[in-house]
């Protein structure tokens, strides 16, 4: 006769009995999917390191005749002796010279007296240097100083020779030119005056007047006024003289600077140049080049404006023929510092590129600081004018970026920002002109390959995120879909970046990336090296982002594109397998079987991740093409052939089998799937066994599958797995056993092979830290003991006593968690320990206590 407490407990249904009448809500499905559905991990596609440093590797889609050369000869004669800036090509309009006629004074008064010149504004004086300010003051007082002091004899000679006027038949001779009287007057007004210390304008005026013919010197008031106007400037003339004075001061300063440059050139630079021309020892020449660079920098002679630059460059160009890599790098550094352009810029970039092809020269490049010079070229020179030079410049940077020693230096010197700025320029130009710059595709291959190397650094990834580089790279892909090399390099960048959560979120937020990736898959379906990376990227995007799963599935043709790719590579895999079985050799052009399998591995991962979304998962489970491809893979592939592919395929089937929908193809083929899973259960691969048991955990909610498990003695294998001491395996095996105990006729199987004892052992070993596993064990024991009459006869004396102690202690304790720093996760587990596990444990404890007679104190089991 049942006790009142037992009658109350007897009304409870067995756990995990499938309910057909009441479908689960979406919230319930998502909640349970956290335990039942899993994302699939895989390795990033392997990119082998190229044996030789070239602009384009052996896998490039460019033919040798359609790409710039990586090998070339370079000599001193390759450089141009003249390195002036290129002319603009724009024709200039001629200047219109409109001489300004002097205004004649209307009065007889002296213009100098009538319009006195005020002093220069002090504020204006303060705005110029002290030397120029003095000249302004002199100009305002109409007293000018010459450039240098002349001897008195020379001064007299100068004055006499400058303006000698002779009369004869109304003609005047001035400086050897015969003029009429009126023209002579005009000439005096506009002719520059020779200034001396002694007399200023007054002295010159008197000398000029004395040399004039008598009829001009005293011939009337009008002539006198003209003479005065010619000898004494008006206000506009004074302003002009001030300007001339400032210009003269500037000229004086330039002359002084020139004299200083001449002295520095002769004393510091010329001796080094002589040493470069005469020295035959390469090491000594290298030392002299270092000294030359320092001297030019000290004398502020670097750049394109140094007047002796062409002489210097000729000397440097001649040394290129020496053929020493260390010397050539030092020469290149100086030549770049002198801001060469056009063909010479191209040749010096080629020179550095040629040296950088040898990995042994990396230390020379690092020691000479060539990297900074190359980055300065990319930063300051014009992209459209120097595209080819940029190509070899970035090619060099690409080579050395493969050396980890350069990574930090490159990133700290702004390589990421410089390269992305160039990419942005190319994007904008292509968008604006609807055409690409010449050689821009070749240049993009080098820049994206360099970025691919740089993104290994956390600092580079942070910089790319800060400047929103990922959308720009997507734009490049979209504009250059016909350039497989560019697309492959960017896919390699994204495959690295999306392995990190923050970068993955950034790319997933760019909605245009999904259509772009699908377009590339359709375009290059048989190009394994590109599609395998795109599919890997999609797997990363959909791994932990439900919104990304939804956005991708909404793109037109998204699932059909994946299935078409799956079918293509499945056929390739079967064909390769057939060739191997028949002893045939694979053609060289055929994709190796391992690479074919890699695409299938990444594809099954994408499908498994998409299936986590309830709407997408149910649609995939009802898609015969999807299920057919997955089952076909399990049929012809063994875990020994390709472990990762078989495990990923099984994991995808597990996610699809979670959805108990009426039109599910998985449910229709459940027995066939169970037969295929037996191969995995019989293998020695524990990961494969785990995936197979997980699928059985979903399928065993069906009575037919439960019968299959008992008929094939799979339950004995599952009970044996409880001894594996592997938490996940125990959890999955316990889940299948729980579903078996729903059927009353099958509960007895738990006594076979010591099933009860092993379940109690799992509760003891994993219960204190794993509430989910503890909950499964308690539910399984609850189902098993539904018709209990005596606890000892049901569980056995030892296991009954152990259960009483364990359950009592668990109900009095909190969940023991590890040292995880995720407080939110801790709170989640603590909540479910109280709300999920403890009610089940309390029910089971009450049932055992109501059917157990305590004869002696219970021993406390050791944990």
């Amino acid at each position: 006769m049942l006790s009142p407490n037992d009658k109350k407990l007897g009304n409870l249904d067995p756990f995990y009995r499938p309910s057909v009448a009441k479908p689960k809500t979406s919230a319930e499905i998502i909640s349970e999917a956290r335990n039942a559905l899993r994302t699939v991990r895989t390795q990033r596609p392997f990119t082998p390191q190229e044996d030789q440093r070239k602009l384009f590797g052996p896998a490039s889609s460019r033919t040798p005749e359609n790409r710039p050369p990586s090998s070339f000869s370079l000599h001193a004669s390759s450089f141009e002796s003249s390195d002036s800036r290129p002319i603009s090509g724009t024709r200039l309009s001629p200047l219109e010279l409109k001489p300004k006629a002097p205004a004649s004074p209307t009065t007889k008064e002296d213009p100098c007296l009538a319009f006195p010149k005020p002093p220069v504004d002090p504020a204006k004086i303060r705005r110029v240097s002290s030397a120029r300010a003095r000249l302004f003051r002199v100009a305002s007082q109409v007293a000018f100083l010459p450039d240098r002091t002349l001897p008195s004899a020379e001064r007299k000679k100068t004055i006499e020779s400058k303006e000698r006027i002779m009369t004869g038949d109304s003609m005047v001779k001035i400086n050897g030119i015969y003029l009429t009287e009126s023209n002579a007057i005009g000439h005096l007004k506009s002719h520059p005056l020779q200034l001396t210390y002694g007399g200023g304008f007054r002295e010159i005026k008197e000398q000029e007047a004395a040399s004039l013919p008598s009829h001009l010197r005293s011939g009337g008031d009008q002539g006198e006024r003209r003479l005065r106007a010619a000898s004494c400037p008006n206000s506009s003339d004074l302003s002009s003289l001030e300007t001339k004075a400032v210009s003269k001061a500037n000229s004086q300063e330039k002359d002084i600077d020139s004299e200083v440059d001449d002295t520095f050139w002769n004393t510091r630079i010329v001796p080094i140049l002589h040493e470069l021309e005469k020295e035959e020892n390469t090491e000594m020449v290298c030392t002299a080049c270092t000294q030359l660079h320092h001297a030019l920098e000290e004398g502020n002679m670097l750049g394109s404006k140094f007047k002796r630059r062409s002489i210097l460059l000729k000397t440097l160009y001649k040394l290129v023929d020496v053929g020493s890599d260390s010397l050539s790098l030092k020469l290149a550094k100086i030549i770049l510092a002198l801001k060469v352009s056009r063909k010479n810029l191209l040749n010096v970039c080629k020179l550095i590129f040629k040296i950088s092809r040898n990995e042994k020269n990396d230390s020379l490049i690092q020691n000479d600081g060539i990297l900074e010079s190359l980055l300065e070229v990319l930063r300051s020179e014009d992209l459209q004018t120097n595209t080819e030079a940029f190509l070899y410049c970035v090619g060099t940077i690409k080579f050395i970026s493969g050396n980890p020693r350069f990574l930090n230096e490159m990133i700290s010197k702004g390589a990421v920002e410089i390269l992305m700025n160039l990419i942005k320029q190319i994007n904008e130009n292509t968008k604006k002109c609807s055409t690409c710059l010449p050689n821009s595709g070749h240049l993009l291959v080098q820049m994206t390959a360099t970025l691919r190397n740089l993104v290994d650094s956390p600092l580079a990834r942070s910089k790319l995120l800060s400047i929103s580089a990922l959308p720009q790279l997507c734009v490049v892909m979209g504009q250059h879909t016909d350039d497989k090399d560019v697309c492959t390099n960017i896919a390699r960048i994204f495959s690295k970046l999306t392995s990190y959560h923050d970068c993955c979120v950034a790319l997933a937020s760019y909605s245009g990336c999904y259509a772009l990736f699908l377009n590339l898959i359709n375009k290059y379906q048989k190009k394994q090296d590109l599609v395998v990376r795109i599919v890997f990227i999609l797997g990363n995007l959909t791994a932990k982002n439900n919104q990304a799963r939804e956005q991708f599935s909404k793109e037109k043709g998204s699932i059909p594109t994946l299935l078409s790719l799956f079918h293509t590579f499945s056929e390739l895999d079967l064909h390769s397998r057939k060739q191997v079985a028949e002893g045939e050799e694979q053609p060289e052009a055929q994709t190796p079987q391992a690479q074919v399998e890699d695409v299938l591995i990444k594809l099954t991962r994408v499908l498994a991740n998409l299936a986590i979304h309830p709407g997408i998962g149910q649609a995939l489970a009802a898609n015969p093409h999807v299920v057919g491809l997955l089952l076909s893979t399990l049929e012809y592939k063994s875990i020994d052939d390709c472990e990762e592919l078989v495990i990923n395929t099984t994991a995808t089937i597990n996610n699809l089998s979670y959805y108990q929908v009426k039109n599910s193809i998985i449910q229709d083929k459940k027995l066939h799937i169970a037969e295929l899973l037996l191969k995995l259960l019989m293998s020695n691969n524990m990961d494969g066994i785990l995936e197979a048991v997980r699928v059985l955990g979903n399928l065993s909610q069906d009575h037919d599958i439960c019968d299959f498990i008992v008929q094939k003695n799979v339950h004995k294998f599952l009970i044996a797995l409880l001894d594996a001491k592997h938490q996940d395996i125990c959890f999955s095996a316990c889940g299948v056993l729980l579903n078996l105990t729903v059927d009353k006729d099958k509960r007895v199987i738990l006594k076979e092979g010591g099933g009860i004892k092993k379940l109690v052992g799992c509760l003891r070993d994993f219960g204190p830290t794993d509430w989910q596993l503890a909950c499964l064990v308690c539910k399984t024991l609850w189902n098993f003991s539904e018709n209990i009459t005596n606890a000892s006869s049901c569980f056995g004396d030892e296991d009954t006593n152990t259960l009483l102690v364990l359950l009592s202690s668990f109900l009095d304790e909190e969940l023991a968690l590890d040292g995880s720093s995720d407080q939110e996760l801790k709170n989640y587990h603590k909540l479910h320990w109280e709300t999920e596990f403890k009610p089940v444990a309390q029910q089971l404890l009450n049932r055992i206590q109501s059917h157990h007679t305590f004869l002696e104190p219970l021993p406390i089991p050791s944990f």
Side-chain angles (χ1 to χ4, degrees):
M1 185 174 179
L2 296 176
S3 65
N5 191 32
D6 190 50
K7 290 180 180 179
K8 183 178 180 181
L9 293 174
N11 294 327
L12 297 174
D13 291 333
F15 289 106
Y16 268 58
R17 173 173 291 173
S19 176
V20 180
K22 185 181 178 182
K24 295 179 181 178
T25 65
S26 297
E28 290 172 335
I29 291 176
I30 294 173
S31 177
E32 293 186 16
R34 293 173 183 172
N35 302 328
L37 302 180
R38 300 181 310 106
T39 58
V40 178
R41 295 182 180 180
T42 187
Q43 293 181 345
R44 182 166 53 84
F46 174 69
T47 302
Q49 189 172 3
E50 296 175 359
D51 296 333
Q52 295 181 333
R53 289 182 170 183
K54 295 181 179 180
L55 284 174
F56 304 94
S60 174
S61 61
R62 288 164 166 76
T63 57
E65 59 271 13
N66 292 327
R67 62 190 185 195
S70 295
S71 299
F72 41 79
S73 58
L74 203 62
H75 306 285
S77 58
S78 304
F79 293 85
E80 295 177 343
S81 58
S82 175
D83 192 64
S84 59
R85 292 286 177 180
I87 59 175
S88 64
T90 304
R91 186 173 182 179
L92 300 178
S93 301
L95 296 174
E96 295 182 2
L97 299 177
K98 296 181 180 180
K100 184 178 179 181
S104 302
T106 56
T107 63
K108 295 184 180 181
E109 298 178 1
D110 192 334
C112 294
L113 300 177
F115 303 97
K117 178 66 179 176
V120 177
D121 185 3
K124 187 176 181 181
I125 296 176
R126 285 193 298 270
R127 286 196 297 266
V128 296
S129 64
S130 58
R132 295 182 182 180
R134 287 195 296 272
L135 287 171
F136 271 117
R137 296 191 188 99
V138 170
S140 65
Q141 297 169 7
V142 200
F144 294 86
L145 300 178
D147 288 344
R148 61 182 185 274
T149 304
L150 298 175
S152 58
E154 292 186 15
R155 287 202 305 271
K156 183 176 180 182
K157 183 178 179 180
T158 301
I159 295 173
E160 290 177 353
S161 62
K162 281 291 180 182
E163 300 292 346
R164 186 175 301 278
I165 302 175
M166 301 176 62
T167 62
D169 297 329
S170 71
M171 295 293 292
V172 181
K173 184 179 181 181
I174 302 178
N175 285 339
I177 301 175
Y178 289 92
L179 302 172
T180 62
E181 295 178 10
S182 59
N183 288 338
I185 296 298
H187 178 77
L188 289 174
K189 290 182 180 181
S190 59
H191 197 279
L193 304 176
Q194 175 68 32
L195 307 182
T196 66
Y197 278 106
F201 278 101
R202 181 67 58 185
E203 178 182 346
I204 296 172
K205 174 187 171 184
E206 291 174 355
Q207 292 173 358
E208 289 176 342
S211 63
L212 287 174
S214 58
H215 68 281
L216 288 177
R217 187 169 59 244
S218 58
D221 294 340
Q222 187 175 359
E224 182 179 353
R225 284 195 299 271
R226 288 180 180 177
L227 181 58
R228 284 183 174 181
S231 60
C232 189
N234 58 21
S235 60
S236 61
D237 294 330
L238 286 173
S239 177
S240 176
L241 289 170
E242 290 175 9
T243 304
K244 290 179 180 179
V246 174
S247 177
K248 188 172 183 179
N250 288 334
S251 178
Q252 288 176 343
E253 290 180 1
K254 290 180 180 179
D255 290 342
I256 294 172
D257 291 340
S258 179
E259 291 177 4
V260 173
D261 288 345
D262 291 343
T263 303
F264 191 89
W265 171 266
N266 293 325
T267 58
R268 296 289 302 279
I269 306 300
V270 171
I272 300 177
L273 294 181
H274 288 165
E275 185 177 351
L276 290 175
E277 293 176 350
K278 296 178 180 179
E279 185 60 57
E280 296 182 356
N281 185 287
T282 304
E283 291 185 5
M284 296 299 293
V285 176
C286 289
T287 303
C289 284
T290 303
Q291 295 173 353
L292 177 62
H293 191 275
H294 292 162
L296 291 172
E297 190 173 16
E298 180 184 347
N300 198 24
M301 294 180 176
L302 297 175
S304 60
K305 296 183 179 180
F306 180 47
K307 64 181 181 180
R308 292 186 175 89
R309 175 170 166 270
S310 58
I311 300 173
L312 189 58
L313 287 172
K314 287 180 182 179
T315 305
L316 298 175
Y317 293 154
K318 292 177 183 177
L319 294 173
V320 171
D321 287 338
V322 174
S324 167
D325 289 345
S326 57
L327 175 59
S328 295
L329 285 176
K330 294 185 181 297
L331 294 173
K333 187 174 182 179
I334 300 175
I335 293 171
L336 288 178
L338 291 170
K339 300 295 182 183
V340 293
S341 60
R342 296 181 296 171
K343 184 178 179 180
N344 288 341
L345 178 60
L346 170 61
N347 284 332
V348 73
C349 289
K350 280 186 170 182
L351 179 63
I352 300 173
F353 173 86
K354 187 176 181 180
I355 297 169
S356 67
R357 290 193 62 193
N358 188 345
E359 291 184 37
K360 296 179 180 179
N361 289 330
D362 284 0
S363 57
L364 293 177
I365 294 174
Q366 189 172 32
N367 294 336
D368 285 332
I370 292 296
L371 174 61
E372 188 169 357
S373 301
L374 295 175
L375 292 176
E376 179 59 28
V377 170
L378 301 179
R379 185 186 293 111
S380 60
E381 296 295 337
D382 180 62
L383 171 61
Q384 297 188 31
T385 308
N386 303 288
T387 308
E388 190 176 1
F390 277 33
L391 173 68
Y392 288 99
C393 181
V394 180
T396 301
I397 297 175
K398 178 190 72 172
F399 292 156
I400 61 178
S401 67
N403 188 332
R405 291 183 298 166
F406 284 89
L407 278 184
N408 290 334
E409 181 184 0
M410 280 190 179
I411 297 167
S412 63
K413 292 184 183 298
V416 173
E417 293 88 344
I418 292 171
L419 292 174
M420 286 309 306
N421 182 54
L422 293 175
I423 288 174
K424 186 177 180 181
Q425 289 184 45
I426 293 175
N427 287 345
E428 292 175 349
N429 183 81
T430 304
K431 182 178 180 181
K432 181 179 179 181
C433 304
S434 300
T435 56
C436 301
L437 290 171
N439 293 320
S440 63
H442 302 323
L443 179 58
L444 282 169
V445 172
Q446 308 308 312
M447 290 194 292
T448 51
T450 305
L451 287 171
R452 179 195 66 204
N453 293 333
L454 294 180
V455 295
D456 289 330
S457 167
L459 181 57
R461 296 193 294 270
S462 175
K463 286 180 176 290
L464 287 172
L465 290 177
S466 66
I467 59 177
S468 301
L470 275 63
Q472 286 291 337
L473 292 173
C474 287
V475 172
V476 174
M477 261 187 154
Q479 292 177 347
H480 296 80
T481 52
D482 293 333
D483 194 329
K484 177 180 171 291
D485 293 344
V486 172
C487 293
T488 302
N489 279 346
I490 297 177
R492 285 172 174 166
I493 294 172
F494 286 159
S495 65
K496 286 186 175 184
L497 290 177
T498 53
S499 299
Y500 302 92
H501 177 69
D502 51 352
C503 298
C504 195
V505 171
L507 182 59
S509 63
Y510 181 69
S511 58
C513 71
Y514 305 104
L516 174 63
F517 294 150
L518 289 170
N519 180 35
L520 290 172
I521 290 175
N522 287 320
K523 187 177 183 66
Y524 296 103
Q525 191 166 99
K526 293 186 178 181
K527 300 298 182 180
Q528 187 273 345
D529 57 336
L530 177 55
V531 295
V532 71
R533 286 170 174 82
I534 293 177
V535 177
F536 175 75
I537 295 164
L538 290 174
N540 290 341
L541 295 177
T542 56
K544 296 181 180 180
N545 192 326
N546 217 41
Q547 186 177 359
R549 298 170 190 137
E550 189 171 346
Q551 284 185 332
F552 174 78
S553 65
K554 287 182 178 179
E555 291 293 338
K556 184 178 180 180
S558 57
I559 302 301
T561 296
L562 294 181
L563 298 182
S564 174
L565 187 65
F566 202 137
H567 178 76
T568 298
F569 278 85
S570 292
E571 291 294 322
L572 288 174
D573 192 27
L574 286 170
H575 184 66
S576 298
R577 185 182 178 87
K578 182 178 179 182
Q579 286 180 328
V580 173
E582 295 177 356
E584 299 179 10
E585 293 185 2
Q586 276 191 328
E588 292 184 2
Q590 184 173 321
T591 306
Q593 187 174 2
Q595 295 182 5
V596 172
E597 291 173 343
D598 201 21
V599 175
L600 295 174
I601 289 168
K602 273 55 177 179
L603 273 170
T604 52
R605 176 181 179 236
V606 175
L607 293 174
N609 293 346
L610 289 173
I612 296 176
H613 187 285
I616 303 171
Q618 293 179 28
L620 292 177
N623 189 318
H625 194 187
V626 173
V627 178
L629 287 170
L630 293 173
L631 296 184
S632 174
T633 303
L634 288 184
E635 288 168 357
Y636 78 85
K637 278 288 185 184
S638 70
I639 198 164
D640 296 327
D641 293 335
C642 185
E643 175 183 342
E644 191 175 2
L645 176 57
V646 172
I647 290 176
N648 281 9
T649 303
T650 309
T652 307
I653 293 175
N654 172 64
N655 286 359
L656 296 179
S657 66
Y658 174 80
Y659 300 102
Q660 306 290 324
V661 291
K662 292 182 180 180
N663 57 346
S664 171
I665 306 298
I666 296 289
Q667 295 300 317
D668 293 344
K669 296 181 177 293
K670 56 183 178 292
L671 288 175
H672 178 53
I673 293 172
E675 288 281 358
L676 294 173
L677 294 176
L678 286 180
K679 293 192 303 180
L680 277 178
L681 292 175
M682 297 300 106
S683 70
N684 295 323
N685 189 297
M686 199 56 92
D687 290 332
I689 292 173
L690 174 60
E691 290 301 332
V693 173
R694 281 172 171 159
V695 178
L696 289 176
N698 288 332
L699 296 181
S700 59
Q701 296 183 48
D702 185 89
H703 291 292
D704 293 338
I705 296 298
C706 290
D707 292 340
F708 174 86
I709 290 173
V710 175
Q711 290 171 7
K712 299 294 183 179
N713 290 320
V714 176
H715 65 281
K716 295 180 180 180
F717 181 74
L718 296 173
I719 291 173
L721 288 178
L722 297 176
D723 274 339
K725 303 300 180 184
H726 189 290
Q727 199 163 338
D728 289 335
I729 290 179
C730 290
F731 179 85
S732 299
C734 190
V736 179
L737 294 174
L738 171 61
N739 289 339
L740 290 176
T741 58
V742 172
D743 190 342
K744 295 179 180 180
D745 297 336
K746 296 181 176 63
R747 290 172 184 170
V748 68
I749 64 174
L750 286 184
K751 288 196 172 184
E752 298 180 21
I756 299 298
K757 184 176 290 295
K758 291 177 181 179
L759 285 171
V760 174
C762 287
L763 184 63
R764 180 186 63 242
D765 296 337
F766 303 118
T769 58
D770 190 340
W771 67 267
Q772 292 171 313
L773 176 54
C775 202
L776 277 184
V777 172
C778 289
K779 287 180 178 180
T780 304
L781 294 175
W782 172 268
N783 288 354
F784 175 76
S785 62
E786 182 180 11
N787 297 321
I788 186 174
T789 56
N790 183 279
S792 295
S793 62
C794 183
F795 299 111
D797 291 335
E798 182 181 352
D799 292 332
T800 300
N801 293 337
T802 304
L803 282 172
L804 289 171
V805 175
L806 285 175
L807 294 174
S808 299
S809 62
F810 289 165
L811 291 171
D812 293 335
E813 295 176 1
E814 291 185 355
L815 179 66
L817 296 173
D818 57 14
S820 174
S821 59
D822 192 338
Q823 189 60 42
E824 184 178 356
L825 183 62
K826 286 183 177 180
N827 294 337
Y828 170 81
H829 287 298
K830 287 180 178 180
L831 175 63
H832 284 76
W833 174 264
E834 298 292 333
T835 60
E836 297 287 337
F837 168 70
K838 283 191 175 183
V840 176
Q842 186 66 61
Q843 291 177 16
L844 181 61
L845 178 61
N846 292 342
R847 173 177 284 182
I848 295 173
Q849 287 176 341
S850 65
H851 293 87
H852 180 65
T853 303
F854 296 94
L855 301 176
E856 57 184 16
L858 297 175
I860 299 177
S862 59
F863 294 96

